[in-house]
Amino acid sequence: MNTGANEGASGSARLTPSRLRPSDVVRVGGSGLRSRKTRTALSALGIMIGIAAMVGVLGLSESSQADLRKQIEALGTNLLTVAPGTGFGGGDGVLPEEAAAKISRIGPVEVTADVVTLQEQPLRNDLVNQNETNGLTAVATDLDLLDTLNGSMSAGDWFNDATASTSNVILGSVAAERHGITDVSDGVQLLIGEKWFTVIGVLEPFPLAADLDRSVLIGKAAAESVFDVELNPSIVYVRTHPDFVDDVRAVLPATADPASPEEVDASRPSELLETQDAIEDSFTNLFLGLGAVSLLVGGVGIANVMVIAVIERRNEIGLRRALGATRAHIRRQFLTEALLLSTLGGVGGIGLGITVTWAYARAQGWDVVVPTLAVVGGMAAALLIGAVAGLYPAMRAARLAPTEALRAA
Amino acid sequence: MTAGSASLRPALELVEVVKEYAGNPPVRALDDVSLRVSRGELVAIVGPSGSGKSTMLNVMGTLDLPTSGSVLIDGREVSKFSDRRLSAVRSHSIGFVFQSFFLLDGVSALDNVANGLLYSGVREHVRRARAAAALETVGLQHRLGHVPSQLSGGERQRVAIARAIVNEPSIILADEPTGNLDTASSETVMSLLRELNTSGSTIVVITHDREVAASLPRQVAFRDGRIESDSALAEAR
Ligand SMILES: Nc1ncnc2c1ncn2[C@@H]1O[C@H](COP(=O)(O)OP(=O)(O)OP(=O)(O)O)[C@@H](O)[C@H]1O
Ligand SMILES: [Mg+2]
């Protein structure tokens, strides 16, 4: 017996530990899922929806914000507009004729342009009814408008001194579309106040001066000579040095109309977009919250499925222990199953989220932006949820005594 | 120490093993059991229901630890081993065969058998190759791809036996391997165990069937947690 005990001591030194290769951990976890396909799919679906919501919401908000930023950039945050407001006196709705000239003498102002809305209505030809203006307005403009608004032409040329003082028109993008005019080479003519004008150009849309997109523009000189109107500006566009936007804005009313500055509105169009940006942010947060809730629910679903799996698969656990699995191997197996489940949901959710972002952004005409943070964060969230949801069931499985697990169900 | 004494070392030995289950009053399922199983033996364990046969097999197989006494497997005293080391002993030295097979559903016979090597750290292709060989040993080389639901009861138990022998254990422990089988299948399984024994395996098998037990080289009878009789000791006397 003594020799036996001694040999026992030397024998235990040679005992090779049980070992489960990492690739086998994945294989074993995966086969657990494969044998229960429906349940796997359904419980992965919970995570998938949550991740898809988060990726989609972040992707869409990024895409729309990128689009807004592009618009703001195109417009420039240093653009201000001055328009007659509705002050205390009710206002007479006009700015002094020399307003633009005075404003352009403010130091940091780089360029100004003013436009005058005309009473005369633009018509396609003399056969249509006076009321069929297609919602378009005739506007007299000065030559600096294109520079001030960073605008560009989609066809033809902008006014020069000569074309601005004769019967020529340039169409805003919407106006051109409504009249079905894309080409200016064949000298199409329009009727404004019973006078014929030749279309010499079509504008690209102005990001934030949508009113101008619906306008038919003529030169101020032509307006003066053809219609004999007073040229009180309806609106003055002011481009300032970017560092002095607020200072310039503060002095604009008094400069434009020293007599009644309270009847002058000075505004900054890009602010509108920035507000829109902020509104979308709060929507984003709401949807992110909803996504987080559905992730939580998905996590509970995984935990639930795993707890059931541990109960149902007691015999399997017992068998594996009999085959030499340590508690750690069993724990790892079930944790891996939970992680694979959530990875499945995470990958599916990211795919779905990107698809939704792509489809919606395309439909809106935005550039598709899928933020890396959303993808990486979504995957990390899925893994974290899988780990947390799998931990308790895995520990329960590992704690099971082999003999108890092997008792026939 | 000589090479001769090393080869005489028993495959498995229980020394004054007591197993009590807590309760009021506590159940003494094993009461001072000492048993030595030498290499190459084929031992039948018999006894009435509740006499402690399964409890002893579980203690032998390190699935359960004795309340007192020692368990030696391959000369290693395992009754104080940690869970990790017990698992190591099971993965290398012991092969189990259960009454209800415990094959994994939806997993091919080949992979069920290969699982017998899963926790030894053997690579998958090696596991499969050895599993195919083990299935050939039990006469199922034509059923490698069948899942358990496509196999008869007797075939299932032969797959389970293949899984038990695939890691070439020092000892095979079978708890009523024919308990769920009809007479014909039972005979196939028993003759398979005899063949394995003839080619060198050490086997301990619990059976309710007195006739089957009588046909095996050694019988150990249990009653009330004690060894009532042991044919090996009777012969020695
Ligand atoms: N986990 C347990 N807790 C309490 N008592 C137990 C436990 N397992 C077994 N016992 C008791 O120990 C005794 C021996 O049980 P064991 O399963 O070893 O009998 P057996 O000889 O295998 O019987 P059978 O032929 O019916 O399988 C029985 O009285 C049983 O009730
Ligand atoms: Mg029993």
Side-chain angles (χ1 to χ4, degrees):
Chain A
M1 228 27 261
N2 264 345
T3 40
N6 286 342
E7 277 179 23
S10 66
S12 37
R14 288 195 307 268
L15 184 63
T16 326
S18 298
R19 160 142 200 262
L20 185 62
R21 300 172 154 273
S23 60
D24 288 331
V25 176
V26 176
R27 194 174 285 132
V28 167
S31 79
L33 294 183
R34 262 200 310 279
S35 55
R36 299 165 184 75
K37 290 201 181 67
T38 315
R39 209 185 291 172
T40 299
L42 287 177
S43 49
L45 194 63
I47 294 290
M48 178 167 154
I49 291 171
I51 299 285
M54 302 190 88
V55 171
V57 164
L58 289 175
L60 284 179
S61 104
E62 278 293 307
S63 298
S64 81
Q65 279 176 11
D67 189 65
L68 275 177
R69 274 195 296 276
K70 210 166 83 180
Q71 286 185 37
I72 293 173
E73 226 159 80
L75 186 80
T77 50
N78 59 339
L79 181 78
L80 297 168
T81 60
V82 181
T86 48
F88 293 115
D92 51 8
V94 291
L95 291 170
E97 211 175 322
E98 66 285 3
K102 283 184 179 165
I103 289 168
S104 63
R105 285 198 289 272
I106 302 173
V109 169
E110 288 167 352
V111 56
T112 67
D114 65 299
V115 296
V116 183
T117 307
L118 302 174
Q119 301 304 314
E120 286 74 14
Q121 296 179 326
L123 298 173
R124 184 71 177 87
N125 54 49
D126 49 8
L127 302 176
V128 299
N129 187 298
Q130 280 284 322
N131 298 325
E132 290 180 34
T133 60
N134 283 324
L136 305 179
T137 328
V139 169
T141 179
D142 70 33
L143 295 181
D144 287 332
L145 185 72
L146 201 65
D147 283 346
T148 311
L149 291 178
N150 289 343
S152 58
M153 308 297 297
S154 68
D157 294 308
W158 181 244
F159 292 118
N160 55 35
D161 282 330
T163 54
S165 48
T166 49
S167 296
N168 297 303
V169 291
I170 289 176
L171 303 180
S173 58
V174 176
E177 199 181 305
R178 298 240 167 110
H179 282 310
I181 296 169
T182 50
D183 188 8
V184 297
S185 55
D186 52 357
V188 190
Q189 294 209 310
L190 289 182
L191 208 54
I192 302 177
E194 299 178 354
K195 298 280 174 18
W196 288 100
F197 286 76
T198 307
V199 179
I200 60 163
V202 175
L203 287 159
E204 293 281 5
F206 290 109
L208 263 194
D211 284 350
L212 290 179
D213 294 338
R214 286 188 294 274
S215 299
V216 175
L217 300 171
I218 62 177
K220 269 191 187 173
E224 223 168 2
S225 60
V226 176
F227 300 118
D228 188 27
V229 289
E230 304 265 320
L231 292 178
N232 295 82
S234 309
I235 186 161
V236 184
Y237 297 97
V238 183
R239 183 73 68 178
T240 74
H241 188 284
D243 294 343
F244 300 99
V245 179
D246 289 332
D247 303 323
V248 170
R249 185 177 175 178
V251 302
L252 275 179
T255 312
D257 192 352
S260 43
E262 73 281 356
E263 289 177 13
V264 176
D265 273 349
S267 62
R268 186 178 175 186
S270 60
E271 262 173 14
L272 268 170
L273 284 182
E274 280 157 11
T275 322
Q276 204 177 328
D277 218 17
I279 292 170
E280 284 185 12
D281 260 354
S282 60
F283 267 109
T284 302
N285 289 337
L286 176 70
F287 278 105
L288 279 183
L290 288 176
V293 168
S294 88
L295 270 190
L296 197 70
V297 173
V300 172
I302 287 191
N304 185 32
V305 157
M306 292 309 297
V307 167
I308 292 172
V310 170
I311 293 168
E312 280 182 350
R313 287 155 69 190
R314 267 181 43 229
N315 286 166
E316 179 191 327
I317 295 166
L319 170 75
R320 289 183 185 278
R321 298 283 272 133
L323 295 178
T326 62
R327 287 199 190 110
H329 291 153
I330 299 294
R331 196 183 314 126
R332 229 171 282 164
Q333 173 184 345
F334 282 90
L335 206 52
T336 303
E337 265 192 49
L339 282 174
L340 286 176
L341 204 53
S342 63
T343 304
L344 211 63
V347 169
I350 289 171
L352 183 63
I354 290 177
T355 310
V356 167
T357 304
W358 184 85
Y360 192 82
R362 276 306 187 80
Q364 295 289 313
W366 303 338
D367 292 339
V368 180
V369 183
V370 177
T372 325
L373 182 73
V375 173
V376 174
M379 208 55 233
L383 287 177
L384 186 72
I385 285 165
V388 170
L391 198 61
Y392 168 72
M395 296 208 316
R396 245 178 87 156
R399 268 209 308 270
L400 214 52
T403 47
E404 194 179 323
L406 281 168
R407 206 162 293 149
Chain B
M1 176 165 59
T2 66
S5 79
S7 71
L8 285 178
R9 191 174 73 193
L12 192 149
E13 189 170 5
L14 302 184
V15 183
E16 294 163 11
V17 165
V18 172
K19 178 67 188 179
E20 269 186 2
Y21 289 109
N24 198 16
V27 179
R28 189 168 269 234
L30 292 180
D31 188 4
D32 193 19
V33 171
S34 294
L35 183 70
R36 178 190 283 237
V37 179
S38 303
R39 287 174 199 287
E41 275 200 284
L42 171 50
V43 185
I45 308 288
V46 294
S49 183
S51 57
K53 305 183 296 293
S54 295
T55 304
M56 185 201 64
L57 209 73
N58 287 341
V59 169
M60 281 180 159
T62 76
L63 291 171
D64 218 345
L65 289 175
T67 311
S68 69
S70 36
V71 178
L72 289 100
I73 294 164
D74 267 344
R76 292 190 185 96
E77 152 66 315
V78 301
S79 50
K80 298 284 180 296
F81 269 20
S82 65
D83 182 78
R84 265 171 53 94
R85 302 183 78 193
L86 289 176
S87 302
V89 169
R90 289 194 292 269
S91 86
H92 296 292
S93 302
I94 299 169
F96 288 96
V97 179
F98 302 98
Q99 180 174 351
S100 40
F101 322 136
F102 294 141
L103 299 178
L104 298 184
D105 294 333
V107 174
S108 69
L110 186 72
D111 284 331
N112 261 299
V113 174
N115 276 343
L117 289 165
L118 185 59
Y119 300 96
S120 317
V122 178
R123 286 178 186 283
E124 200 200 16
H125 67 274
V126 180
R127 293 203 298 268
R128 288 192 155 181
R130 286 175 61 181
L135 278 165
E136 189 167 354
T137 306
V138 302
L140 287 177
Q141 60 278 9
H142 56 302
R143 293 281 186 270
L144 303 190
H146 283 53
V147 296
S149 60
Q150 296 168 331
L151 296 170
S152 74
E155 286 174 330
R156 287 184 211 180
Q157 195 58 298
R158 277 148 74 196
V159 171
I161 290 171
R163 181 181 61 197
I165 61 171
V166 72
N167 63 340
E168 294 167 359
S170 311
I171 189 158
I172 296 165
L173 304 176
D175 192 344
E176 296 189 44
T178 59
N180 280 350
L181 302 179
D182 58 35
T183 319
S185 301
S186 295
E187 268 161 26
T188 322
V189 164
M190 283 317 298
S191 57
L192 175 60
L193 289 179
R194 261 188 229 101
E195 273 168 41
L196 289 172
N197 174 243
T198 309
S199 50
S201 294
T202 311
I203 303 174
V204 176
V205 51
I206 295 176
T207 175
H208 264 132
D209 191 329
R210 286 271 166 190
E211 246 174 78
V212 167
S215 75
L216 299 184
R218 178 181 173 190
Q219 301 93 36
V220 175
F222 268 73
R223 182 172 295 277
D224 298 334
R226 290 172 160 273
I227 294 181
E228 186 185 46
S229 67
D230 181 342
S231 64
L233 298 180
E235 276 163 33
R237 225 172 270 143

